[in-house]
Amino acid sequence: MKRKTLLTHMAPLALYALLTGCGKAPEAPTQIDAKTWNLPVMTASASAPVEYTTVGSVVSDQRVEVASRLSGYIREIQVQEGERVRRGQVLARLDAADVEGGIRQTRAAQGAAEAAFRDAQTDLERFERLFERGSVSENEMRKVRLKFDAAREALNQARAGLDTALAQRAYAEITSPVAGTVVARLKRAGDLAVPGMPLLTVESGRGLLFETFVAEGQIAAMAEGKPAVVSIDSLPAPLKGTVTRVVPSGDPVTRSYQVKIALPETVGLMPGMFGRAVFTVGESPSPVVPRRALAERGGLTGVFVLDGEGRARFRWLRTGREWPDRVEVSAGLAADERFVAAVEPALREGDRVMPVEAPR
């Protein structure tokens, strides 16, 4: 019985000795030598901007409602919606029969006034000679001079009336005050044009603005000259604009204030386009790192932070807002920590980094 118990205890030991005798001894892990890199290094600082975003539309700063100064029937309108027009181009013509009749009437009045003036001038010259010889009294001479002055003023009045009538003829042709595009045609040939009633609407393609409305809580941060980034949905890249107008009177219903942003001349930018404006209204305590500093190791995104010996230590980051060239860090990086500003794909944990000047 004892012999059987001894064999039972010895069997596992023998089996283990056999297995370890047949196997190879475990190899020591290969030690990878740390490399030295010359890489740009930055110091983390709290500089993430606090941004405020609003929506709006592109508007023309030169939107003109073209109207007539005369009352008359429209003979023809020479443009259509969407048509490009030049400054001074004829857009419409009115029936000028009444104007032409007025011109003929004022010309006749001017002719009569000229004849009366010549007659008064002849009388004045004749009476002056008679007065010098003492043939007429001073009272008669005074009346002749008065008649001459009245004839002269009547002539001036007739000439002014003719100038006014000729100016009315020019108003029968309605021209464009700006170079732009016809965006609305409000009247047709045969309609009655009334002074002050728009016939056409013309928008200039230059001097475009982005019109938006800012909430009451943010209006204090708005001022003329403040930069803004405007993203138009139909354009591939955002535009850098400048606040040019802040209307200091808010809407009592929406509690918002109108703000207009001047935009640069851009191909494809047209009035009516929808977009978003981003204003920087402050700074947050979260640091910002350049995109080229981010590295991915083991499925995690982070940066290489330098320890006290100048060795690279991978640090996982939790990121927040993103921009084209930088990323906000929500957690994982403290202020004043140094990190590699432009990471190399072959950079490994523990490599030594010799700092060089970080590119701007």
Side-chain angles (χ1 to χ4, degrees):
M1 186 66 180
K2 291 181 179 180
R3 182 179 179 84
K4 183 176 180 180
T5 302
L6 181 62
L7 290 175
T8 302
H9 286 81
M10 291 294 292
L13 297 176
L15 180 60
Y16 175 76
L18 179 62
L19 292 175
T20 56
C22 295
K24 295 183 180 180
E27 297 181 356
T30 303
Q31 182 68 30
I32 301 177
D33 295 334
K35 295 181 63 177
T36 301
W37 300 82
N38 293 322
L39 296 175
V41 174
M42 295 180 62
T43 300
S45 60
S47 59
V50 177
E51 296 178 338
Y52 173 68
T53 303
T54 62
V55 298
S57 301
V58 179
V59 298
S60 175
D61 196 28
Q62 296 183 354
R63 182 185 176 96
V64 182
E65 303 287 344
V66 182
S68 171
R69 293 189 59 174
L70 300 179
S71 178
Y73 288 100
I74 301 173
R75 191 169 65 187
E76 60 176 337
I77 295 181
Q78 299 183 348
V79 293
Q80 301 290 340
E81 296 91 335
E83 187 173 338
R84 297 282 301 174
V85 295
R86 305 181 309 276
R87 180 185 177 94
Q89 179 179 339
V90 176
L91 304 179
R93 286 187 171 89
L94 304 182
D95 185 358
D98 294 341
V99 175
E100 294 296 332
I103 292 175
R104 290 192 297 270
Q105 183 177 1
T106 53
R107 278 180 174 163
Q110 180 180 350
E114 289 176 349
F117 175 74
R118 287 194 298 268
D119 183 65
Q121 188 175 23
T122 301
D123 289 345
L124 177 63
E125 293 173 354
R126 183 168 59 85
F127 268 77
E128 283 178 347
R129 292 192 297 267
L130 294 174
F131 182 74
E132 290 176 357
R133 294 198 299 265
S135 300
V136 295
S137 65
E138 184 175 352
N139 184 47
E140 290 176 325
M141 187 65 199
R142 181 183 62 80
K143 290 181 178 181
V144 171
R145 286 198 181 97
L146 182 61
K147 180 182 177 182
F148 172 79
D149 293 339
R152 182 176 56 187
E153 293 303 323
L155 177 60
N156 291 336
Q157 184 178 2
R159 288 172 176 173
L162 180 60
D163 292 340
T164 302
L166 292 175
Q168 296 294 316
R169 172 192 284 173
Y171 297 146
E173 287 189 346
I174 301 172
T175 60
S176 176
V178 295
T181 305
V182 178
V183 298
R185 182 175 171 178
L186 308 174
K187 295 288 185 178
R188 297 292 184 268
D191 290 343
L192 179 64
V194 179
M197 185 67 66
L199 307 180
L200 301 162
T201 302
V202 179
E203 277 189 350
S204 173
R206 295 184 178 180
L208 296 180
L209 303 175
F210 185 80
E211 183 182 70
T212 185
F213 290 87
V214 175
E216 182 178 354
Q218 300 292 339
I219 191 61
M222 302 297 155
E224 292 186 10
K226 184 179 182 64
V229 178
V230 179
S231 299
I232 305 298
D233 289 357
S234 58
L235 297 182
L239 306 177
K240 293 183 179 180
T242 304
V243 174
T244 183
R245 299 172 196 168
V246 179
V247 180
S249 179
D251 189 329
V253 178
T254 62
R255 303 297 178 187
S256 58
Y257 293 78
Q258 186 185 61
V259 174
K260 291 188 176 182
I261 303 168
L263 299 177
E265 292 190 13
T266 305
V267 177
L269 184 64
M270 293 179 288
M273 287 184 171
F274 175 81
R276 297 167 180 81
V278 179
F279 304 92
T280 300
V281 295
E283 291 187 352
S284 73
S286 301
V288 175
V289 299
R291 280 190 177 273
R292 59 180 180 273
L294 297 178
E296 187 172 341
R297 298 293 186 269
L300 299 176
T301 301
V303 296
F304 280 96
V305 179
L306 299 187
D307 60 12
E309 298 179 355
R311 295 185 180 276
R313 304 299 178 187
F314 182 74
R315 179 83 59 81
W316 170 76
L317 300 180
R318 186 170 65 197
T319 59
R321 294 171 296 167
E322 297 185 1
W323 295 272
D325 58 344
R326 52 190 175 147
V327 176
E328 180 186 18
V329 177
S330 301
L333 188 64
D336 299 331
E337 283 191 302
R338 297 192 306 159
F339 62 93
V340 178
V343 68
E344 290 288 341
L347 182 64
R348 299 189 304 269
E349 180 81 11
D351 284 354
R352 186 177 296 276
V353 175
M354 303 298 293
V356 297
E357 184 179 357
R360 294 290 179 183

